[in-house]
Amino acid sequence: MANSKYEYVRQFEQPDVLLPNTWIVVRIDGRGFHKLSNKYEFEKPNDRRALNLMNAAAVAVLEAFVDVGIAYGVSDEFSFIFQRSTTLFDRRASKLLSTFVSTFTATYTHLWPSHFSSTPLSSSMLPTFDARAIMLPSWGNVRDYLAWRQVDCHINNLYNTTFWALVQKGGLTAQEAEQELAGTLSADKNEILFKRFDINYNNEDEMFKKGSVVFRDYPSTTKPHTGDTTPSSLPQPSTHPESTAIPSVPQSKTQFEAEKTRRRRAGIVIRHVDIIGEGFWVGRGGMLGE
Ligand code: GTP
Ligand code: MG
């Protein structure tokens, strides 16, 4: 195509390529879901339909983009973590973010009726999401990122479960429940649930307690990690070996294509498991190129 005199305006487009050799995370988050969950009468504190719908939209994203190794979701958010070596959209942040958030939102809206059959979406409040990109420079940072989100899930869910038990079963107002919980520790909340409401927090739904891990279930080619395999739900200092700062030797084109085909063919699964401890990661680091 011939250049026109207007062509120069291209220069105003800024490059936004994310750093090579880093793990890219795209985290999407529902906009104003506090209001939206009230309008569509989500169950409190956890609505199984809403969480399953989030998970279904995340599966669609993994199906569409084979470069995503794992996704973790809780409440109205989902983090998608790419293979370290991804070259999707030449690692351009705005392309990645806009494509992911629109694929997620379109699927969420499309699948809404099959999850909320008796509550149609109203044009006055449609679900929308924002997105950000984060670059993580080491495997330790990747593990700590996921641990951060899962610990957040645990803290929020324990608080919300106790808060709503006090309100729904204990007859307290929201303000009274908030005052009652101010300054309490995890053990106090567990005790309130058990002693006053006969609820053993350990028996709560795993999806509520642990969030949702979405990944391709295929055997990794990398060697299993050694060490502690005990799952843990508490924050621990990072003990993961730092990744090399030097990019790994690039795969040959044939290896690269074979790996892509393997990933494309693998089934995508949703699990509600601990991803903080080593247990989950034994033999699975390969799905993120570790
Ligand atoms: P922005 O993200 O800043 O736009 O605000 P937000 O209103 O979406 O709040 P935020 O993302 O911090 O938190 C998500 C909110 O969504 C929660 O505080 C809840 O109000 C609501 N939410 C998410 N999942 C559920 C659910 O399963 N049940 C209910 N009742 N509410 C939920
Ligand atoms: Mg939100």
Side-chain angles (χ1 to χ4, degrees):
M1 206 176 20
N3 284 351
S4 76
K5 68 173 183 174
Y6 306 112
E7 188 83 14
Y8 78 95
V9 293
R10 250 180 199 283
Q11 296 170 68
F12 294 109
E13 285 183 25
Q14 290 297 298
D16 61 353
V17 175
L18 298 169
L19 290 175
N21 201 36
T22 56
W23 279 274
I24 297 170
V25 183
V26 168
R27 183 169 77 245
I28 60 114
D29 186 291
R31 290 191 56 232
F33 263 46
H34 183 69
K35 255 188 171 171
L36 186 131
S37 61
N38 282 331
K39 175 167 173 70
Y40 294 110
E41 298 174 340
F42 284 14
E43 281 170 37
K44 294 172 196 303
N46 293 295
D47 189 308
R48 208 175 297 278
R49 299 165 302 174
L51 295 172
N52 286 332
L53 175 54
M54 289 290 291
N55 292 345
V59 167
V61 171
L62 259 80
E63 276 168 356
F65 302 102
V66 77
D67 290 36
V68 176
I70 193 169
Y72 176 72
V74 48
S75 181
D76 68 339
E77 70 166 62
F78 243 101
S79 297
F80 297 92
I81 309 190
F82 290 77
Q83 287 268 329
R84 187 188 198 179
S85 58
T86 186
T87 52
L88 184 63
F89 302 136
D90 294 325
R91 299 174 77 96
R92 287 155 64 196
S94 48
K95 284 277 277 194
L96 288 168
L97 288 172
S98 54
T99 309
F100 268 57
V101 80
S102 57
T103 303
F104 190 94
T105 309
T107 312
Y108 186 95
T109 307
H110 175 67
L111 295 178
W112 177 278
S114 53
H115 292 261
F116 286 90
S117 50
S118 51
T119 322
L121 280 175
S122 149
S123 59
S124 66
M125 198 183 287
L126 292 169
T128 56
F129 294 83
D130 64 35
R132 69 199 65 193
I134 303 133
M135 290 170 280
L136 299 172
S138 76
W139 179 242
N141 295 148
V142 173
R143 293 283 305 279
D144 287 346
Y145 176 88
L146 287 167
W148 171 51
R149 299 321 307 136
Q150 194 165 45
V151 167
D152 233 44
C153 169
H154 168 72
I155 293 170
N156 290 336
N157 191 55
L158 180 59
Y159 181 92
N160 292 338
T161 305
T162 319
F163 177 90
W164 286 108
L166 287 167
V167 172
Q168 290 167 343
K169 298 191 164 104
L172 268 63
T173 64
Q175 207 185 356
E176 286 164 348
E178 210 176 303
Q179 276 165 5
E180 176 112 21
L181 291 177
T184 55
L185 304 172
S186 285
D188 304 320
K189 294 185 194 76
N190 273 296
E191 195 170 297
I192 292 173
L193 285 172
F194 196 66
K195 292 217 168 126
R196 286 208 229 164
F197 305 111
D198 202 23
I199 296 171
N200 182 344
Y201 184 74
N202 289 332
N203 297 338
E204 290 291 292
D205 195 308
E206 292 297 314
M207 176 160 70
F208 304 162
K209 287 188 298 181
K210 300 223 167 65
S212 298
V213 190
V214 184
F215 58 98
R216 283 167 230 285
D217 198 16
Y218 67 96
S220 167
T221 47
T222 54
K223 287 198 186 114
H225 287 273
T226 51
D228 176 25
T229 56
T230 315
S232 121
S233 55
L234 290 172
Q236 294 165 343
S238 170
T239 52
H240 323 298
E242 295 301 299
S243 308
T244 170
I246 303 163
S248 53
V249 181
Q251 288 174 310
S252 73
K253 209 172 169 197
T254 327
Q255 275 175 322
F256 182 75
E257 287 308 323
E259 174 64 18
K260 262 203 154 160
T261 307
R262 230 159 66 85
R263 273 192 258 149
R264 209 169 273 128
R265 285 188 185 148
I268 295 168
V269 295
I270 304 168
R271 299 278 182 267
H272 314 293
V273 292
D274 184 287
I275 49 172
I276 301 172
E278 292 296 323
F280 174 82
W281 295 100
V282 174
R284 290 214 174 101
M287 66 191 178
L288 287 173
E290 158 61 0

